[in-house]
């Protein structure tokens, strides 16, 4: 251990990594407080004394990954017999018949499971799109904030909504919907309570009407106005399936992107989940407006929804991020696995040279941060928040690998050895701090069986 710094926050040197996704940082990096203080060139030492040194010679260091789309409650209905092998609309309708049984206790455990899985995969900022508010679950956002704070993970929790039931042209049953006024009042409540727009924020709130086929135009418009007043982001599903295109044409007389413009959502405050079925002109319009798109490769393959036009969207000016999507369509909450899937699916779309492992890692870090409107996370550089994921290459799957960064993605890394959020270790030796994974799995599995064990 080196001599202590003279004053101020403690300085930690993460020294001489096997590889690091940062320029001129072969000697590692120095963390001071919650931020990265300096990047150290290969063969050099920090410019100022440090209090502690961690030997990273076995580790590949990447920026903490940023998940921009998920549905935490769905961890309770993974691989459910009612939904297996169905495309999106039949899949949704099948699961709507059981999701109303969720309780606050089950939702809390589902949230804890999702946060923990994401942390273990190297994710340091977890976005969730929660749109399910059956009777008794009105405090869902409050529960998620409590769980994020307990685990020490950075979170962007979006207050979702469904206001059109199946009797009104929507998909969900009435018991899973709320009226517009209830949604708007609770949206303002959680924004006032929890949203922190400042750099370094640990909790941010977004507004996320579920989809064009689940809410009214009024809710979309008033959510946009509310977001502008509070300085928060807007999120929704869009362009996921051809069924959605048909629905929008039948209900509104135009395509989903036209609908987005009609309700005042064609702006750089917005990021969309999936973004698959856009025309060339729609891609141009989205890029010109700065609308972000979260690519969800695993879910899109599972539901056979199609392929996101990632390269065209990015070239047009849209931030492109990465998400795992819900655990009932992904059946996992592992963002590092989604990075590998993004490489494979996009190579199938664009060819091998067009999308590399570095592109997918960039989407999952800096690109996702841009979707959330954040410039303080997603990169390893002085002044950025100290959100880091450290992986080892000790497993047999990596034997013979020559490029450590490429090996993380191409050889299938799935679990980080260490994870740091805001300068504090949250995963050590592959274990989440403050969580008993065995007890959590047992409690979560028991409730999943009791509440949803039919099909």
């Amino acid at each position: 251990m080196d001599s202590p710094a003279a004053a101020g926050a403690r300085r930690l040197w993460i020294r001489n990594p096997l590889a690091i996704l940062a320029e001129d940082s072969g000697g590692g990096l120095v963390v001071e407080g919650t931020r990265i203080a300096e990047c150290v060139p290969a063969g050099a030492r920090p410019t100022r004394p440090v209090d502690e040194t961690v030997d990273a010679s076995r580790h590949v260091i990447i920026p903490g990954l940023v998940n921009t789309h998920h549905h935490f409650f769905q961890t309770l209905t993974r691989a459910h017999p009612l939904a297996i092998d169905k495309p999106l609309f039949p899949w949704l309708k099948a699961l709507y018949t059981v999701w109303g049984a969720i309780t606050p206790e089950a939702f809390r455990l589902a949230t804890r499971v999702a946060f923990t899985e994401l942390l273990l995969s190297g994710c340091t900022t977890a976005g969730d799109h929660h749109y399910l508010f059956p009777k008794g679950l009105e405090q869902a956002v409050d529960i998620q904030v409590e769980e994020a704070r307990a685990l020490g993970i950075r979170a962007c929790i979006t207050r979702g909504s469904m206001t059109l039931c199946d009797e009104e042209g929507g998909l969900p049953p009435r018991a899973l919907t709320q009226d517009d006024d209830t949604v708007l009042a609770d949206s303002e409540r959680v924004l006032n309570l929890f949203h922190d727009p400042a750099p370094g924020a640990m909790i941010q709130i977004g507004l996320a009407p579920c989809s064009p086929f689940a809410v009214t135009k009024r809710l979309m418009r008033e959510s946009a106005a509310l977001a502008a007043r509070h300085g928060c982001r807007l999120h929704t599903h869009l362009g996921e399936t051809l069924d959605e295109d048909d629905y929008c044409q039948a209900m509104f007389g135009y395509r989903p992107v036209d609908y987005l413009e009609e309700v005042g959502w064609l702006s750089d405050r917005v990021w969309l989940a999936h973004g698959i079925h856009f025309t060339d002109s729609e891609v141009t319009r989205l890029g010109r407006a700065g609308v972000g798109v979260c690519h969800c490769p695993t879910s899109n393959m599972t539901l056979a929804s199609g392929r996101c036009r990632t390269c065209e969207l990015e070239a047009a000016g849209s931030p492109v991020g990465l998400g795992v999507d819900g655990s009932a369509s992904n059946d996992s909450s592992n963002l590092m696995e989604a990075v590998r899937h993004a490489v494979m699916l996009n190579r199938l779309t664009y060819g091998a040279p067009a999308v590399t492992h570095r592109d997918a890692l960039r989407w999952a870090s800096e690109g996702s941060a841009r979707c959330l409107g954040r410039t303080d996370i997603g990169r390893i550089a002085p002044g950025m928040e100290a959100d880091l994921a450290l992986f080892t290459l000790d497993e047999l799957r990596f034997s013979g690998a020559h490029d450590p960064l490429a090996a993380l993605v191409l050889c299938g890394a799935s679990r980080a050895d260490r994870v740091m959020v805001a300068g504090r270790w949250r995963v050590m030796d592959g274990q989440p701090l403050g969580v008993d994974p065995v007890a959590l799995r047992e409690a979560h599995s028991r409730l999943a069986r009791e509440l949803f064990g039919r099909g």
Side-chain angles (χ1 to χ4, degrees):
M1 184 180 296
D2 293 69
S3 58
R10 291 179 62 82
R11 286 168 55 84
L12 169 67
W13 179 17
I14 304 176
R15 185 183 66 194
N16 298 336
L18 180 63
I20 183 169
L21 190 57
E23 296 295 325
D24 300 320
S25 302
L29 56 97
V30 176
V31 173
E32 188 169 347
T34 69
R35 297 184 179 181
I36 297 168
E38 61 178 298
C39 291
V40 182
R45 296 179 61 82
T47 58
R48 291 173 43 215
V50 298
D51 301 279
E52 184 180 356
T53 298
V54 170
D55 178 9
S57 59
R58 293 173 50 246
H59 292 95
V60 179
I61 304 177
I62 61 173
L65 303 179
V66 180
N67 183 66
T68 49
H69 190 64
H70 203 339
H71 307 294
F72 289 177
F73 74 93
Q74 292 182 11
T75 61
L76 293 157
T77 53
R78 298 193 236 234
H80 197 284
L82 288 174
I84 291 173
D85 300 331
K86 288 183 170 68
L88 179 65
F89 277 18
W91 175 89
L92 276 172
K93 289 179 178 179
L95 288 172
Y96 282 150
T97 66
V98 299
W99 281 342
I102 194 169
T103 63
E105 178 191 10
F107 181 68
R108 183 177 294 279
L109 290 180
T111 296
R112 193 176 303 165
V113 163
F115 274 139
T116 302
E117 282 187 282
L118 286 167
L119 268 174
L120 289 171
S121 74
C123 176
T124 54
T125 300
D128 187 50
H129 182 184
H130 184 71
Y131 55 80
L132 194 75
F133 291 85
K135 187 174 177 58
L137 201 63
E138 291 84 0
Q139 305 296 307
V141 173
D142 308 61
I143 290 171
Q144 292 192 311
V145 170
E146 290 169 6
E147 289 297 315
R149 287 173 172 168
L151 285 167
I153 192 169
R154 217 179 287 279
C156 178
I157 297 165
T158 60
R159 203 296 182 187
S161 50
M162 297 190 294
T163 62
L164 291 177
C165 70
D166 48 5
E167 300 167 1
E168 300 165 315
L171 289 179
R174 186 175 297 279
L176 297 185
T177 65
Q178 297 177 306
D179 62 73
D180 288 357
D181 290 336
T182 297
V183 171
L184 291 166
D186 193 58
S187 296
E188 187 135 34
R189 179 186 72 85
V190 297
L191 282 165
N192 287 330
L193 278 176
F194 304 124
H195 181 57
D196 181 1
M202 293 298 292
I203 302 290
Q204 292 192 331
I205 301 294
L207 301 182
C210 185
S211 64
F213 43 83
V215 299
T216 65
K217 282 187 177 181
R218 177 202 167 201
L219 185 64
M220 293 291 284
R221 291 190 180 107
E222 294 198 22
S223 293
L226 188 58
R229 290 201 301 274
H230 285 267
C232 77
R233 310 294 282 183
L234 291 163
H235 183 51
T236 193
H237 298 91
L238 204 80
E240 184 175 1
T241 66
L242 292 173
D243 285 341
E244 179 191 310
D245 287 355
D246 295 340
Y247 178 93
C248 286
Q249 290 281 11
M251 288 292 292
F252 311 125
Y254 39 67
R255 289 175 53 79
V257 174
D258 297 319
Y259 174 86
L260 209 66
E261 186 168 25
E262 167 74 15
V263 295
W265 276 54
L266 206 61
S267 83
D268 60 5
R269 191 183 297 281
V270 174
W271 90 99
L272 308 172
H274 303 293
I276 296 168
H277 298 286
F278 296 143
T279 66
D280 290 347
S281 63
E282 288 169 344
V283 167
T284 299
R285 289 165 64 193
L286 291 165
R288 187 183 301 122
V291 175
V293 174
C294 172
H295 177 33
C296 301
T298 310
S299 172
N300 294 163
M301 288 187 286
T302 300
L303 296 174
S305 298
R307 306 174 190 174
C308 179
R309 300 185 67 182
T310 51
C311 292
E312 292 97 328
L313 285 161
E314 199 165 41
S318 287
V320 172
L322 210 62
V324 297
D325 199 12
S327 287
S329 58
N330 183 325
D331 299 311
S332 174
S333 301
N334 192 309
L335 191 53
M336 196 65 200
E337 285 184 348
V339 172
R340 184 171 190 258
H341 293 163
V343 172
M344 302 307 174
L345 181 58
N346 282 273
R347 285 186 174 181
L348 189 62
T349 302
Y350 298 107
V355 176
T356 71
H357 64 281
R358 288 179 176 268
D359 291 320
L361 287 168
R362 175 173 49 78
W363 290 337
S365 51
E366 189 172 0
S368 284
R370 288 185 63 206
C371 284
L372 300 184
R374 301 196 63 156
T375 59
D376 57 339
I377 60 175
R379 290 188 298 118
I380 296 174
M384 301 293 286
E385 288 293 304
D387 293 1
L388 306 167
L390 284 68
F391 292 81
T392 64
L393 303 182
D394 297 341
E395 297 175 67
L396 195 59
R397 73 177 72 190
F398 300 111
S399 181
H402 297 271
D403 181 323
L405 275 170
L408 276 190
V409 179
L410 302 181
C411 299
S414 62
R415 186 161 180 151
D417 182 62
R418 287 191 177 212
V419 177
M420 174 180 283
V421 184
R424 299 185 62 182
W425 295 116
R426 297 300 182 181
V427 173
M428 294 279 285
D429 300 322
Q431 296 299 314
L433 301 184
V435 178
D436 181 342
V438 174
L440 176 58
R441 182 188 60 77
E442 290 175 351
H444 178 267
S445 296
R446 174 180 56 79
L447 282 175
R449 289 192 303 271
E450 291 174 358
L451 296 173
F452 306 108
R454 64 184 179 89

